[in-house]
Amino acid sequence: MPAALRVLSALDAARIQWYHFKAIIVAGMGLFTDAYDLFCIAPVMKMISQIYYHKDSIGTAVLSTSYAIALLGTALGQLIFGYLGDRVGRRKVYGLCLLIMVLSSFGCGFSVCTTRRSCVMASLGFFRFVLGIGIGGDYPLSATIMSEFANKRTRGAFIAAVFSMQGLGILMSSAVTMAVCVAFKSAGEGSLEKTSAAGMETLAPAESDIAWRLILMIGALPAAITFYWRMLMPETARFTALVENNVVQAAKDMQRVMSVSMISQTNEDSSSETYQQPPSSSSYKLFSRRFLSLHGRDLFAASANWFLVDVVFYTSNLLLSQIFNFSNKPLDSSNVYDSAFEVARLAAIVAACSTIPGYWFTVYFIDRIGRVKIQIMGFFFMAVVYLVAGIPYSWYWSKHEKTNKGFMVLYGLIFFFSNFGPNTTTFIIPAELFPARFRSTCHGISGAAGKFGAIVGTVGFLWATKHDERDKEDVFPDVKRVRVAFLILGGVCIAGMLVTYFFTRETMGRSLEENEENEEYELGSTSAPGSSSANELLPRQ
């Protein structure tokens, strides 16, 4: 048996051990930081709107740009670091992503100017864009590294566990925002009372300009803590064996961090086979005719599904505060801390009750039900909820000035089935389908498509539901337009169901090498999926 296949077969059959959980934590903290940085912007923009724009509307153009700039950077980061992960190695660029996130998070907090809003927004936009690049790089690298370390029996659960750290990141961003708002409000009550007594109408004391900066800078801490352990991670055995063709080093790296059977035998036999061309290292190039014939359908399905789900997920999540009104006081009568606190509290409720449970349902069921079934189910139930909520939306808001619990439950189900569904599976599937030397790149391409979907969803929703600028009392989106948006999002979910059903392949219970085998390989055995291993793959004669 080729030495490369001995290493891969040993990894696929390895028992669950401590290093698997360590890898989940180290890789997952990157996703934790990603979610914190991407989703803390909603309450921060509430604060900025009152600090720098006072009674003027912040403007749809500025608001949509603030959401889109980090997402655009994320898409670019996924493409760049996905490519670098396949060219120079996953580990070598993994730490660079964290450094970019740490430095740019602090940069956001130190955005220049404290009086000129155009200067503040331009500086913040620049650092948010750079932050997005670091965040984007973390997506393909974390997914690829976890998929290549995991055994095939629990690979889906391990990758889902890494991705589930996003839910904790969203919850932490809300908790930090609420804590900062309460602390600054309590500390500044005296100045607020003096300002009120003097007859001044400002709702944003001077120290509030520090509060939003502090919220953004705290996002750097998880990434900074994780950096040391990331640098200790070895290169994945699949990259070393299949891309660099160094089976001896791959075996040594695995022996250093894991207890894997057959390692010693691999070292003994590899002297004559170390530089033998492994089956995965075929000669065709990315986007060549051969690549497209073998993997074009998989790349289309992964990209299209990620695009569609991010249209829905980011529209619903980032703009949650645009739909619900939980404050008993109009926005203009709230101080800067109250408005941000309400947005953060709502996000925390949704994260704790819907988002996080959805992630962990996927962790439990992903290797029992399969990726495709969970993805179709998630799209289906999201479509149902959007149609149920959207069809009577105008009638509902004509009779209710505030959101009731029933509507909250319906909206919460969207987040539950998004995460117990396509939001998680679209992260997992691209890390399992493609050859080792294209895996990170193709995951980055799929993720970048998703982030363009997020831009389309958030920016499109903001502009499509914009209320009449002449109506200063109306601070929430136009009701009829929201209804149309809900129906459109329901249609997007139906499209996701169709793309998944017709184009997405199941990857459960198969090794990464079996998943890539399309026409290039044939199985040397007819054993059922889940019982075959990497050593059963034979090159086509």
Side-chain angles (χ1 to χ4, degrees), residues 185-509:
K185 183 180 179 180
S186 299
E189 281 181 349
S191 62
L192 284 173
E193 291 174 358
K194 291 178 181 178
T195 300
S196 178
M200 300 174 65
E201 296 183 353
T202 182
L203 303 174
E207 60 269 19
S208 63
D209 190 55
I210 300 175
W212 68 266
R213 297 170 185 270
L214 181 62
I215 293 170
L216 293 175
M217 287 191 290
I218 289 175
L221 297 180
I225 294 171
T226 307
F227 181 78
Y228 173 75
W229 285 277
R230 267 196 191 189
M231 291 297 94
L232 295 181
M233 295 180 72
E235 184 56 82
T236 68
R238 282 185 161 89
F239 180 85
T240 304
L242 299 179
V243 181
E244 295 184 332
N245 297 339
N246 191 340
V247 182
V248 172
Q249 187 60 47
K252 289 180 179 178
D253 288 341
M254 288 301 96
Q255 193 174 33
R256 181 159 60 92
V257 297
M258 297 174 66
S259 175
V260 181
S261 62
M262 297 173 62
I263 289 291
S264 59
Q265 185 177 355
T266 299
N267 278 302
E268 294 173 2
D269 296 346
S270 59
S271 58
S272 62
E273 298 178 359
T274 301
Y275 298 102
Q276 177 178 336
Q277 188 80 345
S280 182
S281 295
S282 303
S283 59
Y284 62 87
K285 297 181 179 180
L286 184 69
F287 296 131
S288 65
R289 182 175 300 179
R290 179 70 169 163
F291 172 87
L292 293 176
S293 66
L294 294 174
H295 308 292
R297 170 178 168 173
D298 293 334
L299 186 58
F300 165 77
S303 301
N305 283 320
W306 208 329
F307 177 91
L308 294 171
V309 72
D310 272 9
V311 169
V312 177
F313 183 76
Y314 278 82
T315 300
S316 303
N317 216 327
L318 290 180
L319 302 175
L320 190 63
S321 61
Q322 302 291 319
I323 298 173
F324 293 107
N325 179 8
F326 277 90
S327 177
N328 292 323
K329 298 177 290 184
L331 183 61
D332 288 342
S333 65
S334 302
N335 64 53
V336 63
Y337 304 119
D338 288 340
S339 59
F341 184 93
E342 293 297 331
V343 174
R345 184 181 69 165
L346 177 57
I349 292 172
V350 173
C353 298
S354 300
T355 303
I356 294 175
Y359 281 123
W360 286 99
F361 265 69
T362 302
V363 171
Y364 182 80
F365 286 106
I366 189 73
D367 289 312
R368 292 171 169 83
I369 298 176
R371 288 75 161 141
V372 172
K373 289 181 180 178
I374 288 178
Q375 188 159 297
I376 291 176
M377 177 200 66
F379 271 128
F380 172 77
F381 282 109
M382 282 196 296
V384 169
V385 172
Y386 269 120
L387 295 177
V388 169
I391 291 173
Y393 194 83
S394 298
W395 170 85
Y396 171 85
W397 281 103
S398 67
K399 298 183 179 294
H400 299 80
E401 294 182 358
K402 294 179 66 62
T403 306
N404 66 14
K405 295 180 180 179
F407 200 85
M408 270 197 67
V409 170
L410 277 179
Y411 206 72
L413 287 174
I414 293 172
F415 294 99
F416 177 81
F417 285 110
S418 175
N419 294 299
F420 182 34
N423 188 49
T424 305
T425 54
T426 51
F427 180 80
I428 296 171
I429 292 174
E432 300 179 314
L433 280 176
F434 302 100
R437 62 200 181 94
F438 300 138
R439 187 167 292 134
S440 180
T441 301
C442 291
H443 194 287
I445 293 171
S446 303
K451 290 303 167 281
F452 283 117
I455 293 171
V456 169
T458 54
V459 175
F461 185 91
L462 277 171
W463 283 95
T465 60
K466 185 177 73 167
H467 60 76
D468 192 337
E469 296 291 342
R470 293 170 297 181
D471 190 355
K472 298 295 184 182
E473 298 298 321
D474 185 10
V475 296
F476 297 96
D478 181 81
V479 170
K480 293 182 179 179
R481 294 181 181 180
V482 171
R483 176 179 179 270
V484 172
F486 271 33
L487 297 178
I488 292 174
L489 293 176
V492 170
C493 294
I494 293 173
M497 287 176 54
L498 297 176
V499 172
T500 302
Y501 181 80
F502 288 107
F503 296 101
T504 303
R505 291 194 296 128
E506 183 57 71
T507 59
M508 180 180 66

